[in-house]
């Protein structure tokens, strides 16, 4: 059967009509293969790009973390507290931790400052005697209320949400504060 | 035996044709003057190969996981057989790659080898320069000590300054809202898979272009490049006086490359890799992040530019730099190549080298950073006058000494106050301390009257 077919094909003389239909068939097949190739590439790209941008698609809830009882914070003092981020990965280990500087203004008023300098994010330290926050990287300095005292920081130290619940001081987890283009002017 | 080997070789060549493919590349003619100035590109390549090989070695021992990477670094450094040397080679190899990519670029610029027909050689080279710097930076993050963690935060903050999409890019870099389990996996994937793959591809293209367009002949004053005639002239010149790349030119590459690698291994054995800082716990704030030497000029620049211009610098700086480097071979792709006829080009290179070098030196000194480890002057000088003694202790305790130097102790941020009492009255000192100003915090709110008086008395005595 096949052989017969082959023979008949062989015997056919190439005509202008045949040539044209060959060309259009080749053209069609080329388009099909290019299209299929593109589809295959897209099918692979979607999950790979998905893995890349996954962190943007996650919705991390804000959770309250207890960082101590109210009597651990003296009025007028600024204390380093450490807490776990919202929903950390099991393999995050110690990198799941975040620190904040908690200042007790009065009996009821607490402020929680981010430790991230608004210049380039380095960790500021509280110098209690000097009454200043100082950044080791480029010499940013902040007053005790977080406002800029000296150096390159473009804006005051960001704050975390903080509340007192039944004698416990709690901080609301939040993303690392990122300084934007317009903040720097 | 010899005949058997020869037969095997012949068989292999007959079935693969490898030598037939490689021989024309090895033996291609190069200009006879391409001597010692031409070894820096291959030195960069040798460093890259060294990085790939030692990188594989390190990957055998490394744990790319946020909770274990630091311990595996300690293991590599302190316990693994030759682990310390391996880390050292990888560090000094990175340093060498950054250094030689810079020297190679300067050589190409000074000799104007980027002109017609080698524009694409330059462009791929510029991309490789940036990839090299990115590799250096991501590699430093993989050390995953306090420095690695905070450097990645600094990088995220830099991306954050890009208009509109800054915060998104910063989150993308960290792999989430905060440093965490995802962060290191990403840096590892970038440093070990993505960027090396791009470097392989671009090195391949870069070398292909070197073969295709030929090694640029050493420039001669009064022999300008004319795109209409250059290729024909170059071919004729090669036919007349060209020498085969192997071995006439390649031996210098091999010799210099070997010396570079031996030096790197020597440094790794003698000096060793950079010490690890604290563990990667973002809640440890008593740490002073500082990048490896090749990032220090940028680190220094961020401390020194006026803060108001910083957003512009962080965003437009890299964009303009890339555009300028890309535009170069198109703005000047003909004419004189000799540095003698291009004095401004040479002057520009000298300026850039001095600028970057000065930033490197000042980045090493870090005069802008508070000196938290300074010792109180009161421990060095025994003051008879109790007020002076109190003043000296307050000068230290209140943080003045972190930024001001007295008797050789203290920071460099503010003026040296060793003889401030000569020119400033007590009144002037009081006003400055209370109100601050000139990039000094106001201490009015944190000093009581007695403390202020004691500090002023102490400073007035500094003559």
């Amino acid at each position: 059967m096949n052989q017969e077919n082959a023979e008949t094909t062989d015997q056919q003389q190439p005509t202008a009509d045949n040539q044209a239909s060959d060309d259009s068939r080749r053209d069609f097949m080329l388009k099909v293969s290019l299209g299929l190739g593109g589809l295959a590439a897209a099918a692979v790209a979607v999950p790979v790009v998905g893995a890349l941008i996954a962190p943007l698609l996650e919705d991390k809830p804000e959770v309250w973390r207890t960082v101590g009882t109210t009597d651990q914070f003296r009025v007028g003092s600024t204390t380093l507290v450490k807490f776990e981020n919202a929903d950390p990965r099991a393999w995050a280990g110690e990198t799941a931790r975040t620190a904040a500087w908690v200042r007790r203004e009065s009996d009821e008023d607490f402020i929680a400052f981010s430790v991230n300098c608004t210049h380039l994010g380095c960790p500021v330290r509280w110098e209690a005697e000097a009454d200043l926050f100082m950044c080791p990287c480029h010499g940013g300095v902040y007053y005790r209320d977080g406002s800029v005292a000296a150096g390159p920081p473009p804006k005051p130290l960001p704050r975390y949400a903080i509340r007192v619940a039944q004698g416990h001081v709690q901080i609301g987890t939040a993303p690392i504060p990122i300084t934007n283009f317009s903040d720097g002017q | 035996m010899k005949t058997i080997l020869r037969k095997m070789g012949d068989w292999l060549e007959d079935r693969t044709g490898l030598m037939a493919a490689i021989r024309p590349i090895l033996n291609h003619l190069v200009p006879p003057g391409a001597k010692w100035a031409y070894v820096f590109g291959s030195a960069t390549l040798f460093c890259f190969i060294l990085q790939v090989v030692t990188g594989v070695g390190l990957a055998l021992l490394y744990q790319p996981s946020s909770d274990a990477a630091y311990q595996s670094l300690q293991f590599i450094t302190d316990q693994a057989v030759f682990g310390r040397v391996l880390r050292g080679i990888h560090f000094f190899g990175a340093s060498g790659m950054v250094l030689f990519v810079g020297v190679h670029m300067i050589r190409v610029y000074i000799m104007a080898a980027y002109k017609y027909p080698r524009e694409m050689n330059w462009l791929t080279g510029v991309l490789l320069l940036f990839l090299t710097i990115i590799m250096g930076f991501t590699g430093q993050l993989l050390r995953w000590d306090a420095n690695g963690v905070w450097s990645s935060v600094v990088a995220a903050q830099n991306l954050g300054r890009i208009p509109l999409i800054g915060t998104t890019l910063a989150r993308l870099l960290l792999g989430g809202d905060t440093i965490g389990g995802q962060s290191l996996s990403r840096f590892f994937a970038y440093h070990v898979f993505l960027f090396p793959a791009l470097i392989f591809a671009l090195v391949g293209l870069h070398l292909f272009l070197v073969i295709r367009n030929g090694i640029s002949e050493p420039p001669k004053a009064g022999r300008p490049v004319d795109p209409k005639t250059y290729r024909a002239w170059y071919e004729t010149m090669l036919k007349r006086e060209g020498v085969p790349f192997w071995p006439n030119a390649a031996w210098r590459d091999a010799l210099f490359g070997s010396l570079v690698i031996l030096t790197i291994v020597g440094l790794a054995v003698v000096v060793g890799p950079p010490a690890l800082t604290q563990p990667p716990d973002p809640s440890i704030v008593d740490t002073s992040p500082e990048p490896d030497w090749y990032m220090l000029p940028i680190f220094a620049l961020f401390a020194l530019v006026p803060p108001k211009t910083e957003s512009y610098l962080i965003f437009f700086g890299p964009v303009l730099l890339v555009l300028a480097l890309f535009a170069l071979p198109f703005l000047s792709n003909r004419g004189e190549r000799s540095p003698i006829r291009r004095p401004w080009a040479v002057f520009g290179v000298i300026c850039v080298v001095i600028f970057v070098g000065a930033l490197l030196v000042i980045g090493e000194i870090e005069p802008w950073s508070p000196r938290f480890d300074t010792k109180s002057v009161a421990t060095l000088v025994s003051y008879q006058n109790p007020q002076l003694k109190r003043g000296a202790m307050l000068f230290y305790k209140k943080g003045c000494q972190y930024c001001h130097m007295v008797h050789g102790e203290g920071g460099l941020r503010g003026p040296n106050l060793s003889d401030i009492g000569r020119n400033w009255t007590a009144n002037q000192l009081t006003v400055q301390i209370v109100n601050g100003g000139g990039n000094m915090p106001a201490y009015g709110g944190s000093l009581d009257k007695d403390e202020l008086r004691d500090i002023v008395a102490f400073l007035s005595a500094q003559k």
Side-chain angles (χ1 to χ4, degrees), chain A residues 51-52 55 82 85 91 94-95 97 119 121 125 127 129-130 136-138 143 151 175-177 179-181 185, chain B residues 67 150 157 160-161 167 171 177-179 181 186 281 283 299 303 310-312 368-369 397-398 402 413 439 442:
Chain A
L52 181 71
K82 304 182 175 195
N85 296 325
W91 58 93
E94 55 204 335
T95 61
R97 275 179 233 151
H119 178 226
R125 20 181 127 175
E127 292 292 323
E129 292 283 353
C137 282
H138 298 101
Y143 292 116
I176 288 185
T179 302
N180 292 125
F181 183 81
Q185 291 163 66
Chain B
D67 60 351
W150 289 107
Q157 292 285 1
R161 298 285 182 107
T167 305
R171 302 257 179 275
D177 286 346
T178 56
I179 292 280
R186 287 178 171 254
D281 180 344
S283 71
F299 183 75
E310 198 155 16
S311 274
Y312 294 98
W368 50 80
S369 281
K397 262 171 51 176
K398 293 291 177 181
Y402 289 169
R413 172 94 204 201
N439 217 5

Side-chain angles (χ1 to χ4, degrees), chain B residues 42-375:
Chain B
S42 65
T44 314
L45 181 59
F46 281 125
C47 284
F48 175 63
I49 295 166
L50 183 69
Q51 291 306 87
V52 172
V53 173
T54 52
V56 170
L58 285 170
L60 292 173
L61 306 167
Y62 182 71
Q63 284 293 318
S65 173
S66 270
D67 60 351
Y70 184 74
Q71 282 146 283
S72 73
L73 248 299
Q74 287 175 320
F75 165 73
I76 292 170
T77 315
D78 301 329
Q79 289 177 34
V81 181
F82 293 122
R84 185 175 165 280
V85 176
L86 193 59
R87 256 198 77 201
I89 298 175
H90 205 65
F91 171 74
F92 285 106
S95 303
M97 199 171 156
V98 171
L99 182 72
F100 287 122
V101 85
V103 175
H104 177 54
M105 185 177 190
I106 289 173
R107 198 280 297 171
V108 165
Y109 181 72
I110 286 197
M111 290 190 175
Y114 57 81
K115 293 192 179 196
Y116 178 90
R118 300 186 181 85
E119 298 94 334
M120 284 305 294
N121 300 42
W122 173 265
L123 254 63
T124 49
V126 169
L127 291 175
L128 282 166
L129 168 77
F130 284 107
L131 282 172
T132 303
I133 293 170
I134 290 172
M135 283 299 281
F137 184 72
T138 51
Q140 183 195 320
L141 302 184
L142 293 194
R143 235 175 274 150
W144 209 234
D145 51 2
N147 236 345
V149 164
W150 289 107
S151 296
S152 55
V153 174
V154 170
Q157 292 285 1
N158 274 301
L159 288 176
R161 298 285 182 107
I162 296 172
L164 301 176
I165 52 168
T167 305
T168 307
L169 291 179
R171 302 257 179 275
L172 210 51
L173 179 81
L174 295 181
D177 286 346
T178 56
I179 292 280
Q182 338 76 311
S183 311
L184 184 64
S185 308
R186 287 178 171 254
F187 303 144
F188 182 77
Y190 299 152
H191 183 79
V192 175
F193 298 113
L194 181 61
F195 292 123
L198 289 175
I199 291 181
F200 271 116
L202 277 166
V203 164
L205 180 56
H206 197 69
L207 292 180
F208 170 77
L209 290 170
V210 170
I211 305 286
R212 181 188 145 80
N213 293 322
I215 293 176
S216 70
E217 76 288 355
K220 204 163 127 191
R223 195 176 61 199
V225 173
D226 180 358
K228 285 203 193 77
T229 57
Y230 179 80
R231 278 210 149 114
W233 172 85
Y234 183 80
E235 288 304 319
T236 326
M237 180 272 293
L238 275 194
K239 278 201 191 99
R240 199 176 56 241
E241 48 187 309
V243 295
F245 174 69
W246 180 267
N248 293 39
W251 71 268
R252 287 188 189 83
D253 294 297
L255 178 64
F256 186 72
S258 307
L259 286 177
V260 163
I261 290 175
L262 285 174
T263 307
I264 288 171
V265 174
L267 284 168
V269 171
V270 176
V271 182
L276 296 175
T277 60
Q278 293 107 312
D281 180 344
S283 71
I284 297 176
V285 294
D286 271 348
T287 179
S288 299
E290 192 183 293
D292 286 346
W293 71 267
Y294 40 81
M295 299 304 286
L296 267 183
I298 300 173
F299 183 75
L301 195 62
F302 288 153
L304 294 173
V305 297
K308 293 250 180 272
T309 65
E310 198 155 16
S311 274
Y312 294 98
L313 172 82
I314 291 174
F315 175 56
F316 291 110
V319 172
L320 290 179
L321 183 65
V322 172
L323 284 180
L325 288 175
F326 274 15
L328 174 73
F330 302 101
L331 295 178
S332 121
N333 83 328
R334 54 171 64 227
E336 284 286 350
R337 280 185 51 207
S338 168
I340 295 165
R341 296 286 170 90
R342 295 164 51 249
W344 286 109
V346 178
F347 178 73
V349 166
I350 293 171
C351 286
V352 169
V353 169
I354 290 176
F355 181 63
V356 175
L359 284 175
L360 180 61
V361 170
I362 204 155
E364 205 64 69
I365 301 169
E366 279 192 281
W368 50 80
S369 281
R371 291 287 187 268
F372 296 110
D373 55 353
T374 182
K375 303 252 179 333

Side-chain angles (χ1 to χ4, degrees), chain A residues 68-127:
Chain A
T69 53
T70 47
D71 51 356
Q72 287 174 290
F73 302 89
R74 211 166 28 80
V75 172
S77 70
T78 301
T79 317
L80 187 74
V81 299
K82 304 182 175 195
F83 56 93
E84 191 172 75
N85 296 325
D87 197 19
R89 298 269 177 259
W91 58 93
E94 55 204 335
T95 61
R97 275 179 233 151
T98 292
W101 290 107
V102 170
R103 175 170 185 78
R104 186 168 193 181
E105 288 275 89
S106 65
D107 275 348
E108 302 89 48
D109 293 334
F110 289 81
I111 306 174
F113 295 106
S114 157
V115 298
N116 298 101
C117 182
T118 56
H119 178 226
L120 287 173
C122 290
V124 297
R125 20 181 127 175
W126 172 247
E127 292 292 323

